[in-house]
Amino acid sequence: MSGHPSTYEPKYGATKWLDQRLPIIRMGADFMTFPSPRNLNYWYTFGGILTLCLVSQIITGIILAMHYVPHTELAFESVQRIRRDVPFGWLLQPMHAVGASMFFFAVYVHMFRGLYYGSYKAPREVLWIIGCLIYLVMMATGFLGYTLPWGQMSFWGATVITGFFGAVPVVGESLQQWLLGGYAVDNATLNRFFALHYLLPFVIAGLVGVHVWALHHVGQNNPIGITPKTKKDTLSFHPYYTVKDAFAVVVFLLIFAFFLFYQPDALGHADNYIEADALKTPPHIVPEWYFLPFYAILRAVPDKLAGILLMLGAIAVLFVLPWLDTSKVRSMRFRPVARGFFWIFLFFCFILGWCGAETPDNMVPFLSVGDKGLNFTWLSRIATFYYFAYFVIILPILGLVEKPKDRPESITKAILGDSSHGAAAPAE
Amino acid sequence: MSDTQVTDAHGEAIDDDKRDFIFIATGAAAAAGAVSLGWPLVAQMGKAADTLAAGSIEIDISKIAEGQQLKMLWRGAPVFVRHRTPKEIAEAENTDISKCPDPQTDSERLVAKPDGTIDPRYLVMVGVCTHFGCIPVGESGDYDGWYCPCHASHYDTSGRIRKGPAPRNMAIPDYTYISDTVIKVG
């Protein structure tokens, strides 16, 4: 799996025997000794955090499936029963629901880290694309899962999202009804959403395997984006990064635990505690917080199909990013101009999230007086424009005209300066 | 065939035509099998027979007072039956439809009784916004008709889209008057 020479030596008769037949211990040992750049910072711990999130979601999910009933008459009550009557259901159900939010929080940090340090550039294009695929399947899984409690937001969220397919020219309506299994969101829809929500996490797990495989083939990027040249530039994954990852996991779990034990419903929507009603649309439909920026892009356009295409484009553009960014310099540390644009990009992503949560016709506080000034539709249009401009205008042009700062020769020199003789380097 | 004779492990001449035939026949059988098995796997997701069968409802419209709207569930979606006021009817009929995104006259959106007359008082339509399927709220919006709170689509008193992201007028279901006061939807 990994590209570095194996140093594993089986010590016992049994392990020697096994190593000749299935070198599975060797694979694990090579994984643990994988040479990682010695300058990885805490932004690089989110891969490990995300693995933990996936495992936690799968375990709590399988448990919830033992108590949940995917039927329109019983689904809402069965979730309430899990929370009230099932032993430790009060803990396990929020662990899954809050866990989904924590999962998305971690994946966004992970993705913005990749954007900042240029982790999508050669030779890591495929690694990046697999990551984008994982994100896409995560979005599908999150959406399907949110339908299952069968509250008002579940039902109407499902109605709106499956409505996207109705916008496809000619075959739209047939396609939509085929997905729903009926004329509208109903029991057939709930049943298949449950089946797919159970399936997709395992697809994610498979993709994560390929993601890590690609990572170990090309090696990790690092905060200065300089490829390790000598052994001095790297450290063994274990114990150096297992410990670093473990510490980050503990901090992450503290935040997780705060929500889990003190604010289990803060990240959800109150309307989802009203059972789904096909005859009454809630006055204000909003998706979960992690989809708000895309929802804002969708609503920024007054045309149905164009809105959907733009929203899909916002994700599709990530897939081709390795070829849009023309700069050969990976890390933004050496790209002062690009760095400024990056922070503006992050700012507008938050603005889009804010727009997605607000009613489009409402006026923006501080930027309007009475009904004069900027409303949220126009704010989301400005932010949407910047979102796309960053990828298809700024990054392609900037790579050609920007003069990057001088980069150090190696990771070791960047840390220890020219006088480095490895004196301060940890023992290998 | 090449000049030199190609032989198999037993020293017998290899017949390339026979091999090609076996390859093509096997491939064709596999492709046909994949398609014929693939179709049921896809088609099972469609509407089941019971869903299709639960198709029609009867509504007694004489019980709806003027200015009142009846909401019935039909095929999992609400059907609106609105007894319109004279003002609403006038607004629906006196609209310049050339400015509508989905031009339709009011009478095109109504169904004739068995005797051929049209009663403009009763508007029957599928109460689902053509944008993303939310249920519009009655007696509101800029055109006195319906307003969809999800993404701000405004419908007039004939259920026509006038403003906002929805692409089409609210749909008119298949329905007939089975008597002067009873309609059958579906």
Side-chain angles (χ1 to χ4, degrees):
Chain A
M1 191 152 161
S2 51
H4 73 108
S6 183
T7 52
Y8 170 71
E9 288 288 343
K11 288 192 185 74
Y12 313 102
T15 49
K16 278 178 190 156
W17 181 88
L18 183 63
D19 194 54
Q20 284 167 358
R21 285 157 181 85
L22 179 72
I24 190 166
I25 302 174
R26 179 179 299 277
M27 198 174 93
D30 292 349
F31 185 92
M32 296 309 275
T33 55
F34 186 74
S36 313
R38 62 188 283 175
N39 59 337
L40 297 185
N41 58 27
Y42 276 105
W43 299 111
Y44 283 79
T45 59
F46 280 84
I49 289 171
L50 283 162
T51 311
L52 178 81
C53 285
L54 179 62
V55 171
S56 165
Q57 288 304 89
I58 289 178
I59 291 172
T60 52
I62 290 171
I63 291 167
L64 290 176
M66 294 178 188
H67 304 280
Y68 171 77
V69 188
H71 189 280
T72 52
E73 305 274 312
L74 301 165
F76 185 81
E77 281 200 22
S78 73
V79 174
Q80 295 310 310
R81 186 180 157 269
I82 291 169
R83 288 178 70 123
R84 290 153 200 263
D85 298 338
V86 172
F88 289 98
W90 61 269
L91 176 71
L92 295 164
Q93 193 276 338
M95 201 188 264
H96 195 72
V98 173
S101 276
M102 299 305 294
F103 202 165
F104 273 98
F105 164 71
V107 89
Y108 283 132
V109 175
H110 194 64
M111 288 164 76
F112 278 112
R113 189 270 290 154
L115 286 177
Y116 187 85
Y117 293 123
S119 303
Y120 48 85
K121 292 183 192 185
R124 297 185 181 82
E125 300 96 322
V126 173
L127 174 62
W128 171 261
I129 288 170
I130 295 161
C132 292
L133 269 177
I134 293 172
Y135 175 58
L136 203 61
V137 183
M138 265 180 75
M139 289 178 96
T141 312
F143 157 68
L144 295 169
Y146 194 57
T147 309
L148 304 183
W150 208 242
Q152 275 287 66
M153 282 297 163
S154 301
F155 182 89
W156 291 101
T159 300
V160 170
I161 304 288
T162 52
F164 294 172
F165 294 92
V168 177
V170 190
V171 295
E173 197 179 318
S174 319
L175 180 66
Q176 186 187 351
Q177 293 189 352
W178 173 76
L179 283 167
L180 295 175
Y183 299 99
V185 175
D186 211 332
N187 199 46
T189 319
L190 178 59
N191 253 293
R192 64 190 55 185
F193 277 20
F194 178 59
L196 293 172
H197 183 69
Y198 205 115
L199 165 74
L200 290 185
F202 298 98
V203 174
I204 294 177
L207 285 169
V208 168
V210 183
H211 194 59
V212 174
W213 180 12
L215 176 76
H216 280 230
H217 186 71
V218 294
Q220 283 135 305
N221 186 28
N222 63 80
I224 61 171
I226 309 289
T227 307
K229 292 186 174 72
T230 61
K231 209 163 175 259
K232 275 202 304 188
D233 289 341
T234 63
L235 295 170
S236 167
F237 178 66
H238 179 75
Y240 296 100
Y241 288 114
T242 46
V243 169
K244 192 169 185 131
D245 280 359
F247 180 73
V249 161
V250 169
V251 175
F252 179 80
L253 288 180
L254 280 175
I255 304 167
F256 195 151
F258 166 75
F259 281 105
L260 182 56
F261 292 111
Y262 296 100
Q263 294 290 330
D265 295 320
L267 300 166
H269 196 292
D271 274 7
N272 224 27
Y273 285 90
I274 303 168
E275 193 170 358
D277 182 353
L279 288 173
K280 193 168 179 294
T281 305
H284 187 51
I285 298 182
V286 280
E288 289 275 80
W289 69 264
Y290 38 83
F291 293 144
L292 288 174
F294 297 105
Y295 195 54
I297 292 174
L298 171 80
R299 292 196 302 189
V301 192
D303 181 77
K304 182 172 170 177
L305 185 60
I308 294 164
L309 291 177
L310 207 60
M311 187 186 67
L312 295 177
I315 300 162
V317 74
L318 296 173
F319 282 82
V320 289
L321 173 61
W323 295 275
L324 290 174
D325 188 347
T326 49
S327 174
K328 295 278 174 250
V329 181
R330 291 195 190 106
S331 175
M332 292 275 183
R333 281 196 187 173
F334 307 106
R335 302 183 63 193
V337 184
R339 191 164 61 208
F341 283 111
F342 170 84
W343 289 115
I344 299 170
F345 174 73
L346 183 64
F347 171 75
F348 274 116
C349 287
F350 279 105
I351 291 289
L352 279 172
W354 186 29
C355 290
E358 293 288 337
T359 306
D361 290 342
N362 281 4
M363 306 305 290
V364 182
F366 312 117
L367 296 174
S368 62
V369 181
D371 59 355
K372 296 241 179 330
L374 203 61
N375 65 16
F376 278 103
T377 301
W378 278 102
L379 184 62
S380 55
R381 282 174 189 168
I382 294 166
T384 301
F385 176 79
Y386 187 85
Y387 182 99
F388 284 98
Y390 179 73
F391 289 117
V392 300
I393 300 171
I394 295 169
L395 285 181
I397 293 175
L398 212 53
L400 304 175
V401 299
E402 182 189 34
K403 188 180 179 327
K405 291 203 274 191
D406 291 337
R407 274 146 290 147
E409 268 174 50
S410 72
I411 293 171
T412 308
K413 273 198 175 168
I415 299 168
L416 301 172
D418 286 334
S419 63
S420 68
H421 302 292
E428 301 283 354
Chain B
M1 296 290 278
S2 57
D3 297 341
T4 49
Q5 186 73 22
V6 183
T7 56
D8 68 8
H10 304 289
E12 288 173 22
I14 288 170
D15 183 349
D16 273 349
D17 289 343
K18 193 167 144 193
R19 286 195 163 180
D20 288 348
F21 174 77
I22 291 168
F23 280 142
I24 293 165
T26 311
V35 170
S36 54
L37 186 62
W39 178 244
L41 294 180
V42 171
Q44 54 80 22
M45 294 251 301
K47 293 185 280 281
D50 60 336
T51 308
L52 286 166
S56 68
I57 51 169
E58 288 179 14
I59 306 168
D60 182 355
I61 56 174
S62 65
K63 295 201 172 110
I64 308 167
E66 187 177 296
Q68 201 185 26
Q69 174 178 299
L70 186 72
K71 203 150 71 166
M72 301 278 286
L73 205 59
W74 174 67
R75 292 180 175 174
V79 166
F80 291 166
V81 185
R82 183 168 177 81
H83 186 157
R84 297 187 292 182
T85 62
K87 179 172 170 277
E88 287 172 351
I89 297 168
E91 279 173 358
E93 287 174 347
N94 299 331
T95 299
D96 177 11
I97 60 163
S98 63
K99 289 189 181 122
C100 293
D102 183 9
Q104 254 185 329
T105 63
D106 190 51
S107 56
E108 279 172 355
R109 297 178 54 75
L110 300 169
V111 166
K113 290 185 175 186
D115 61 10
T117 59
I118 287 178
D119 187 345
R121 291 179 301 169
Y122 298 102
L123 176 67
V124 182
M125 62 184 181
V126 179
V128 172
C129 180
T130 56
H131 187 223
F132 289 133
C134 299
I135 299 174
V137 182
E139 292 171 55
S140 52
D142 292 356
Y143 298 88
D144 275 350
W146 288 264
Y147 171 74
C148 182
C150 294
H151 305 91
S153 290
H154 300 254
Y155 296 88
D156 66 13
T157 55
S158 189
R160 290 175 294 219
I161 179 67
R162 300 294 290 273
K163 187 179 155 190
R168 292 186 315 279
N169 303 332
M170 274 192 268
I172 305 298
D174 287 329
Y175 74 96
T176 49
Y177 280 88
I178 52 177
S179 79
D180 237 23
T181 57
V182 178
I183 58 166
K184 186 183 173 200
V185 183

